[in-house]
Amino acid sequence: MNLRATPQTPTFRGWAVQQPRVRDLACRPYGRFLDYNGAVAYAPPERSDLAPLPGSMPEPFAIAIDGPAASGKTSVGRRTAELLGFRFLDTGWMYRAAAWAALRGRAALGDEDGLIALAEGLAFDFVLCGGEHRVLVDGADVTDRLKDRVVAGASSAIAAVSGVRRVLVARQRAIARQGPIVMVGRDIGTVVLADAPVKVYLTASVEVRAARRHREFRAAGNPVSYCQVVSDLMRRDKMDSERDDSPLRPAGGAIHVGTDGVSVDELAQKIAGVAARAGWKS
Ligand code: DC
């Protein structure tokens, strides 16, 4: 892949297209990222006929939000993205999807090479469907299954495998290159988008986080007890912050925002204000 922009080179959203097969890409049931208008904005690694034009792609504006489990990242990130008209990506979905696929027998949890191959082979679609963000893996909507407690637990173990992180981080960066985005996770400000102009680290007390998660589980018909949720959270916090590769920690320059008792709207407005001060113009 050695594309150069020439007057003859067809382009698509800042990507050079060796053969203009954009429609083909749009019709394929995997490897796409659908933005708010339902347009294709993600070129998967296997599409070697797409490459960034040298020097033509300024880094799109990005808001990196990190924080421990149930600190409010998804709700606040999603609302911030809506306010600003950005795309939204919860990177935890990718680790959960890998865990879900592994638990279905596609790789053993202790088999690093198998897990890496599994992560490489997963085809993600992130779609906005009736105002709701849904995750498609290999064409199937698995959003609800990714919320399962067992999947969540396995995802923390899988997230500690460096090879899996390498694969998923590359995909996350590719998505961020396609336009302004709010991306949430554990290592977004420290690793994935280390140059993001806005970095936020969300915190919340264990009690508030556990109460949030407990409500979500009960709403989904999962009879887990509050005490189990607390112990799950503490175990996951420990795994996420003590692993060797990309442990959870605030990025340098991140603003720290406590979410206890503050509304999602208020938090999103605050982050949008930070983005405006960092140079974002709607
Ligand atoms: O945010 P979550 O609970 O959906 O994340 C699932 C797991 O993946 C959790 O253990 C943290 C991990 N993760 C990560 O290590 N890096 C990310 N960028 C996102 C999630």
Side-chain angles (χ1 to χ4, degrees):
M1 182 169 72
N2 182 21
L3 293 188
R4 288 200 156 298
T6 68
Q8 294 76 38
T9 310
T11 62
F12 173 63
R13 293 192 172 194
W15 293 76
V17 182
Q18 202 164 37
Q19 298 152 2
R21 290 196 297 171
V22 170
R23 290 227 59 81
D24 163 37
L25 175 68
C27 294
R28 284 168 64 169
Y30 60 87
R32 294 174 294 160
F33 182 94
L34 303 190
D35 72 8
Y36 285 108
N37 301 316
V40 178
Y42 169 48
E46 71 268 25
R47 286 302 302 261
S48 58
D49 58 330
L50 298 181
L53 298 176
S56 72
M57 296 261 298
E59 287 297 307
F61 200 92
I63 297 178
I65 303 182
D66 292 302
S71 53
K73 299 183 301 293
T74 304
S75 317
V76 173
R78 208 160 36 201
R79 185 76 194 105
T80 307
E82 282 164 12
L83 271 181
L84 294 170
F86 285 17
R87 290 169 304 141
F88 171 73
L89 178 65
D90 181 346
T91 56
W93 286 332
M94 292 186 167
Y95 293 95
R96 284 174 183 248
W100 171 76
L103 290 169
R104 282 170 54 101
R106 286 175 57 180
L109 288 181
D111 171 11
E112 294 204 358
D113 290 341
L115 289 171
I116 295 167
L118 167 64
E120 279 168 345
L122 288 177
F124 295 106
D125 274 326
F126 300 101
V127 300
L128 194 66
C129 184
E132 208 188 324
H133 292 263
R134 310 288 301 178
V135 190
L136 275 57
V137 174
D138 299 336
D141 183 345
V142 296
T143 317
D144 296 330
R145 293 182 213 159
L146 300 190
K147 294 175 187 163
D148 187 86
R149 232 183 112 221
V150 177
V151 172
S155 68
S156 299
I158 286 183
V161 178
S162 290
V164 170
R165 301 197 72 83
R166 208 172 42 245
V167 171
L168 298 184
V169 166
R171 290 189 176 202
Q172 292 155 13
R173 287 181 175 147
I175 290 169
R177 280 197 294 271
Q178 302 308 305
I181 193 161
V182 176
M183 195 179 284
V184 311
R186 303 291 191 289
D187 59 340
I188 310 304
T190 50
V191 176
V192 181
L193 304 176
D195 294 330
V198 176
K199 297 183 187 182
V200 179
Y201 190 79
L202 293 186
T203 55
S205 63
V206 173
E207 292 77 13
V208 166
R209 294 195 287 131
R212 265 183 207 144
R213 246 326 114 81
H214 192 224
R215 264 196 311 275
E216 285 165 16
F217 280 135
R218 291 179 66 120
N222 190 326
V224 62
S225 75
Y226 176 79
C227 290
Q228 275 173 316
V229 175
V230 171
S231 89
D232 279 0
L233 275 184
M234 296 188 76
R235 190 174 53 81
R236 293 181 66 211
D237 284 354
K238 186 168 159 57
M239 286 176 86
D240 291 340
S241 52
E242 291 184 359
R243 66 176 177 234
D244 292 334
D245 191 344
S246 317
L248 167 68
R249 60 181 52 138
I255 59 159
H256 292 236
V257 179
T259 65
D260 283 9
V262 190
S263 75
V264 169
D265 273 335
E266 230 175 297
L267 293 163
Q269 294 281 1
K270 181 180 172 116
I271 296 172
V274 175
R277 286 194 292 285
W280 173 253
K281 290 185 186 54
S282 302

